[in-house]
Amino acid sequence: MISRTLGPEVGGSIGLMFYLANVCGCAVSLLGLVESVLDVFGADVTGSSGIRVLPQGYGWNLLYGSLLLGLVGGVCTLGAGLYARASFLTFLLVSGSLASVLISFVAVGPRDIQLAPRPGTNGSSVPPRYGHFTGFNGSTLKDNLGAGYAEDYTTGAMMTFASVFAVLFNGCTGIMAGANMSGELKDPSRAIPLGTIIAVAYTFFIYILLFFLSSFTCDRTLLQEDYGFFRGISLWPPLVLIGIYATALSASMSSLIGASRILHALAQDDLFGVILAPAKVVSGGGNPWGAVLYSWGLVQLVLLAGKLNTLAAVVTVFYLVAYAAVDLSCLSLEWASAPNFRPTFSLFSWHTCLLGVASCLLMMFLISPGAAGGSLLLMGLLSALLTARGGPSSWGYVSQALLFHQVRKYLLRLDVRKEHVKFWRPQLLLLVGNPRGALPLLRLANQLKKGGLYVLGHVTLGDLDSLPSDPVQPQYGAWLSLVDRAQVKAFVDLTLSPSVRQGAQHLLRISGLGGMKPNTLVLGFYDDTPPQDHFLTDPAFSEPAEGAREGGSPALSTLFPPPRAPGSPRALSPQDYVATVADALKMNKNVVLARACGALPPERLSRGSSSSAQLHHVDVWPLNLLRPRGGPGYVDVCGLFLLQMATILSMVPAWHSARLRIFLCLGPREAPGAAEGRLRALLSQLRIRAEVQEVVWGEGAETGESEEEEGDFVNGGRGDEEAEALACSANGLVRAQQGRGTGGGPGGPEGRDGAEGPTTALTFLYLPRPPADPARYPRYLALLEILSRDLGPTLLVHGVTPVTCTDL
């Protein structure tokens, strides 16, 4: 029950604790039965009422307990039917005994009852001591109202509230007996709550009545020095003995059969592997006799302890852990607001559950801090073991329901109207055609998100009207497995559309929820480079998962098609590719185009720090190289967006050792140093640590003075040959700077031309807006290809939203 609610890791560990509690509880009941038998029939009994026939001592006590365990184990091995009949018989005997005791309180007059000598004293040399049965007496009740804890006459230990509670609590542990046998009840959903409530109410009434009558009629000496005082005040003492023996036998049978059923359930769930395999064995009638024998052997080991009250404290702690877990299960379901959690118990409330959990934990530590801490530590170790082994995922986890409830609540409180640029973060939608060829980009985008939303989007081509079922839904499992194996923190969003462009529009509009929606579209670059199959070289994908090796689930490599062969038709045309970029900008989304990410240094895509890795540069060109112009062009929204994205990447541990370089393009008439000073002041305000280099962009000097609006150049403001020449010149400028050091700067001297030094790991380029005329989309894409050709890993970025703020 707990496993199906809190999950197999928690439920399995607590289930084993509950099993141990039942095993120890059976041993406690048997030790109590042996003690009560020897009080009358033991050879060392003092007083006139003893029948000295049974030898005593540790070995003899162990033998008597083992014989009684054999009797109890035999009844439980024969099945639940015999146990039920035996339990009904013991119920009748206990009821008769209780009736005689209750009558005796009224019918018997005042008398003195001789007390047995304390252990370790010579009974012949010590004068006899007496306890007093006073009958109903107000002064006796008044004397008994205080605590007055004294030494336990059997152990010599000083009693406290916690130790008395620990001993008494063992008389109430049968509350789960019905739940333990739920598999053998005809109507468990009715029988368990009804039987449990009746049993608790009946037991509570009997205990309260006995407490009241005892404190009204027996003095404190009798209550503290004679645990079997009911015999001394009974009209017929043998009937009291019969009731005590029947009670102890019933409790031991209940604990043993409950323990066997718990162990059988743990074995059936296969949570602990071959260790519990023998407990799966059942008879033809369904009786788990293998689990009974398993439990019988453990009870036999516990009997070696021999200390009743010491063992009772440990048993109580184990039971309290299990009861706290049951309360926690109900509390979790109530707090999760699961629609299918509809308890029929009308007085149920999360307040009572919380009180139950707190009370159980408090009493655990009051009774025995050591045992409580040890039990929680054991439970944690078992939970860790089960988590490492992995459990069934089909049971459902209440943690998922709780997370859903909390996430929904906080998403409603995430008000998009309260967004502020100071707290801006990238929220990425990465469109992936085939993840086999996009694995490095998958990880690079994960590094760029900076705690923001990250969605993997994929468009399946098709029309639902012409298909018998939705082909998208079965694909989610493969994509989620991809996220797990790639170790990225991403959501998956798939859609079905007649074209990739329309599918991208769908994802841009509907991905995310509330205040968590993508603000940046990331695409791979559209070129003729044949895609690589990174599944073959990446360690996380080169070997099949454990489930695949064991035949549980297919290997991830079989769930995605092989990469597109060179020259094969593509799902997206160049026209639609540029149109998708234009669509995103119209929707006020930032755009990132990633080229040659497969060439990124592997250590830069790892999850840990790469302080020992080779030194690399991250180059940032915050000016539109296809429209060069002097002046402070680097401070526009797009240029600041480039700086922000590069800075975010440098904050990732794998990129800490990389050095950020910002290249400032100067016009032909602009004096060196002036623009650099303004840029350094801006970087200081934005707290960005970077090296600044000025480069003369002479190729565009003569043409860069025109007053064309942004995009005119690629819209046809100049001839194709001139545009290609400018793009080629800009590409040469960037490549030339990639091979140069920084001269001297904050980081010290760099490599010189021709000398070995830091290389550029990643380049950020300004992405111009697509032309307004769709007919010029292919020319625009060709210019981007020339601009970024042979630059290595490159991100072409266009930002449309403000991302920095220097105002207080």
Side-chain angles (χ1 to χ4, degrees), residues 433-495:
N434 189 337
R436 285 177 174 271
L439 201 54
L441 176 56
L442 213 74
R443 293 197 168 110
L444 179 62
N446 185 64
Q447 295 174 330
L448 285 170
K449 71 180 187 304
K450 185 55 181 174
L453 180 68
Y454 180 24
V455 179
L456 292 182
H458 174 72
V459 180
T460 300
L461 296 179
D463 187 355
L464 196 58
D465 290 340
S466 61
L467 297 172
S469 62
D470 184 7
V472 170
Q473 295 302 321
Q475 300 179 24
Y476 271 97
W479 284 88
L480 292 174
S481 298
L482 170 73
V483 168
D484 293 337
R485 295 286 288 276
Q487 296 183 320
V488 296
K489 298 177 181 178
F491 297 95
V492 174
D493 217 342
L494 312 179
T495 188

Side-chain angles (χ1 to χ4, degrees), residues 491-788:
F491 297 95
V492 174
D493 217 342
L494 312 179
T495 188
L496 180 70
S497 179
S499 70
V500 174
R501 179 185 177 186
Q502 291 183 23
Q505 291 176 1
H506 298 167
L507 293 173
L508 283 169
R509 292 185 188 279
I510 65 175
S511 290
L513 195 64
M516 296 188 66
K517 296 184 74 69
N519 56 29
T520 303
L521 174 66
V522 183
L523 296 171
F525 194 78
Y526 196 100
D527 56 17
D528 295 327
T529 305
Q532 302 178 13
D533 190 350
H534 295 283
F535 279 15
L536 300 179
T537 56
D538 193 283
F541 294 84
S542 57
E543 295 185 3
E546 292 185 8
R549 288 197 296 265
E550 298 170 0
S553 59
L556 190 61
S557 58
T558 65
L559 300 177
F560 296 101
R564 174 181 55 83
S568 61
R570 311 174 86 166
L572 186 65
S573 67
Q575 186 81 14
D576 280 352
Y577 177 82
V578 179
T580 301
V581 174
D583 293 341
L585 294 176
K586 290 176 184 177
M587 296 180 183
N588 204 38
K589 308 292 185 183
N590 311 296
V591 175
V592 177
L593 305 183
R595 185 172 191 181
C597 287
L600 280 167
E603 66 271 18
R604 297 300 177 187
L605 296 178
S606 64
R607 301 183 67 191
S609 175
S610 60
S611 56
S612 60
Q614 178 187 355
L615 287 178
H616 291 111
H617 290 144
V618 174
D619 292 349
V620 183
W621 296 78
L623 186 66
N624 186 355
L625 294 177
L626 295 184
R627 183 173 168 264
R629 179 187 299 177
Y634 55 84
V635 296
D636 68 355
V637 170
C638 185
L640 289 175
F641 187 84
L642 258 76
L643 290 175
Q644 182 80 325
M645 296 299 286
T647 304
I648 288 174
L649 187 64
S650 68
M651 297 167 69
V652 177
W655 292 86
H656 277 171
S657 61
R659 296 178 180 176
L660 197 61
R661 295 194 303 180
I662 301 175
F663 291 93
L664 182 61
C665 297
L666 299 181
R669 300 184 180 89
E670 189 169 4
E676 180 181 352
R678 293 195 299 268
L679 179 58
R680 289 191 182 278
L682 177 65
L683 294 178
S684 177
Q685 280 186 309
L686 299 178
R687 299 166 304 283
I688 297 176
R689 298 182 61 184
E691 300 168 1
V692 179
Q693 290 195 38
E694 290 183 335
V695 293
V696 178
W697 187 206
E699 292 293 331
E702 297 177 0
T703 58
E705 299 301 316
S706 62
E707 296 299 325
E708 305 164 84
E709 61 181 73
E710 182 183 1
D712 278 355
F713 181 70
V714 291
N715 278 327
R718 296 181 174 87
D720 289 352
E721 293 183 1
E722 186 182 355
E724 290 182 8
L726 183 59
C728 185
S729 178
N731 174 265
L733 174 68
V734 175
R735 282 194 290 121
Q737 296 302 321
Q738 286 181 343
R740 293 177 180 271
T742 59
E750 304 278 349
R752 297 183 177 89
D753 291 340
E756 184 178 351
T759 59
T760 298
L762 184 62
T763 302
F764 285 80
L765 294 181
Y766 189 116
L767 174 66
R769 271 186 179 273
D773 183 6
R776 307 198 64 81
Y777 283 176
R779 177 175 178 267
Y780 169 82
L781 186 58
L783 292 176
L784 296 183
E785 195 281 329
I786 296 173
L787 175 65
S788 58

Side-chain angles (χ1 to χ4, degrees), residues 29 70 101 166 182 190 243 273 302 336 367 379 476 530 535 627 674 756 783 799:
S29 299
V101 170
S182 58
R190 178 181 181 276
V302 177
I367 291 169
M379 188 177 68
Y476 271 97
F535 279 15
R627 183 173 168 264
E756 184 178 351
L783 292 176

Side-chain angles (χ1 to χ4, degrees), residues 346-366:
S346 58
L347 299 181
F348 171 81
S349 168
W350 69 266
H351 302 84
T352 57
C353 292
L354 185 60
L355 180 62
V357 173
S359 301
C360 289
L361 294 177
L362 176 63
M363 288 312 305
M364 280 171 53
F365 285 94
L366 286 179

